[in-house]
C-alpha cells in the first residue's frame, strides 16, 4: 500500500483579518488504484472548522483572535498524511484618542495617540506580545512621535496657520491612519496709535 499524500495544502502560516472566512480546497495524491480517501480536520483551537469529503476547508474567524492551530489529515484507512498549520487572526488597530485642533505659538504640544488592538500575541509567536508601531507620514519638520505614540511639537513662525498631520499606526499586518489638521495661532499684538 502506498500512503496518500496531501499534494495541495494551505501554507503552514496563514493570516486572516478578523471576521474573514478561511476557505481552501486541498488536493490529494494516491498511487493506489480505486483507494477511498478520507479527509479530516483536527481543530485543536480552530473550533467550528470543517473539511468536506472533497478536501475543502471552511472556517469562520468570527469570535477568534491571535494564533489558531489546526491539523489536516488524509487517510486511506491504513496510512495517514498529516499537515499542521496556524492561522493568525488579526484585529485591525483602532485609534480612540481625539487630536487637538489648535495650539498657540510658543506652547508645546504633547498629544498621546491612543490605539487599541484586540491581538495579545505576535503573529505565529505565542511567546511574544503584539506590538503597535507609530510613524509619521506627513507633518511639520519639528513634530515627532515616539514608540508609545506620544506626539511632541513646538511650533515656530513657519508653522502659523493650518498644519496637516498624517500618522499611521500599524500592528505589522494592518495599518490605520490618523489624519488631522492642527492650527497654530499667533498671540495677537495690540498697537495703539497716539
Amino acid at each position: 500500500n502506498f500512503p496518500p499524500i496531501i499534494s495541495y495544502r494551505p501554507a503552514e502560516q496563514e493570516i486572516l483579518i478578523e471576521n474573514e472566512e478561511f476557505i481552501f480546497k486541498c488536493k490529494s495524491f494516491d498511487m493506489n488504484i480505486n483507494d477511498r480517501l478520507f479527509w479530516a480536520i483536527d481543530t485543536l483551537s480552530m473550533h467550528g472548522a470543517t473539511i468536506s469529503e472533497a478536501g475543502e476547508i471552511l472556517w469562520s474567524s468570527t469570535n477568534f483572535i491571535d494564533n489558531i492551530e489546526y491539523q489536516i489529515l488524509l487517510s486511506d484507512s491504513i496510512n495517514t498524511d498529516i499537515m499542521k498549520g496556524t492561522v493568525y487572526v488579526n484585529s485591525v488597530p483602532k485609534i480612540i484618542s481625539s487630536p487637538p485642533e489648535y495650539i498657540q505659538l510658543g506652547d508645546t504640544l504633547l498629544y498621546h495617540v491612543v490605539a487599541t488592538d484586540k491581538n495579545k500575541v505576535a503573529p505565529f509567536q505565542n511567546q511574544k506580545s503584539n506590538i503597535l508601531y507609530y510613524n509619521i507620514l506627513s507633518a511639520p519638520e519639528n513634530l515627532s512621535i515616539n514608540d508609545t505614540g506620544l506626539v511632541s511639537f513646538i511650533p515656530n513662525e513657519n508653522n502659523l496657520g493650518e498644519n496637516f498631520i498624517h500618522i499611521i499606526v500599524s500592528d505589522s499586518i494592518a495599518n490605520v491612519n490618523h489624519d488631522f489638521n492642527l492650527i497654530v495661532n499667533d498671540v495677537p499684538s495690540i498697537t495703539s496709535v497716539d
Side-chain angles (χ1 to χ4, degrees):
N1 181 55
F2 291 99
I5 297 170
I6 303 171
S7 59
Y8 187 64
R9 58 183 77 193
E12 287 182 20
Q13 297 178 334
E14 297 274 354
I15 295 173
L16 288 181
I17 301 299
E18 186 179 21
N19 298 319
E20 282 185 340
E21 286 191 335
F22 182 53
I23 301 172
F24 191 90
K25 176 79 162 85
C26 298
K27 293 185 180 175
S28 63
F29 175 76
D30 190 351
M31 290 184 58
N32 301 307
I33 299 172
N34 297 326
D35 230 3
R36 178 128 191 240
L37 300 177
F38 303 95
W39 289 99
I41 189 163
D42 183 353
T43 58
L44 302 175
S45 56
M46 188 186 262
H47 304 293
T50 60
I51 190 164
S52 70
E53 288 182 14
E56 184 173 69
I57 301 168
L58 178 60
W59 179 67
S60 173
S61 67
T62 303
N63 299 323
F64 291 90
I65 211 76
D66 290 329
N67 296 306
I68 310 296
E69 297 177 344
Y70 68 97
Q71 293 184 115
I72 299 169
L73 299 91
L74 177 64
S75 175
D76 63 2
S77 296
I78 299 171
N79 294 302
T80 302
D81 188 17
I82 299 173
M83 179 261 172
K84 294 180 181 184
T86 303
V87 174
Y88 184 77
V89 181
N90 188 56
S91 176
V92 177
K94 290 180 178 52
I95 295 173
I96 59 172
S97 59
S98 297
E101 295 178 7
Y102 65 91
I103 184 172
Q104 287 295 124
L105 185 64
D107 286 350
T108 300
L109 172 72
L110 293 175
Y111 162 56
H112 197 167
V113 178
V114 180
T116 62
D117 191 336
K118 292 180 188 176
N119 293 100
K120 301 298 179 215
V121 299
F124 315 111
Q125 301 178 53
N126 285 332
Q127 68 282 6
K128 289 189 177 180
S129 296
N130 187 43
I131 297 173
L132 294 178
Y133 301 93
Y134 301 84
N135 291 297
I136 297 170
L137 295 184
S138 177
E141 251 181 46
N142 45 341
L143 186 139
S144 63
I145 191 166
N146 71 11
D147 292 346
T148 65
L150 182 63
V151 175
S152 301
F153 181 46
I154 301 173
N156 59 42
E157 288 184 2
N158 295 331
N159 306 122
L160 286 172
E162 194 170 78
N163 296 271
F164 177 70
I165 299 165
H166 181 172
I167 295 171
I168 192 165
V169 180
S170 174
D171 62 6
S172 77
I173 295 174
N175 301 326
V176 62
N177 293 315
H178 189 44
D179 299 337
F180 59 97
N181 288 311
L182 180 67
I183 298 171
V184 176
N185 289 322
D186 195 1
V187 177
S189 60
I190 300 172
T191 56
S192 63
V193 179
D194 286 339

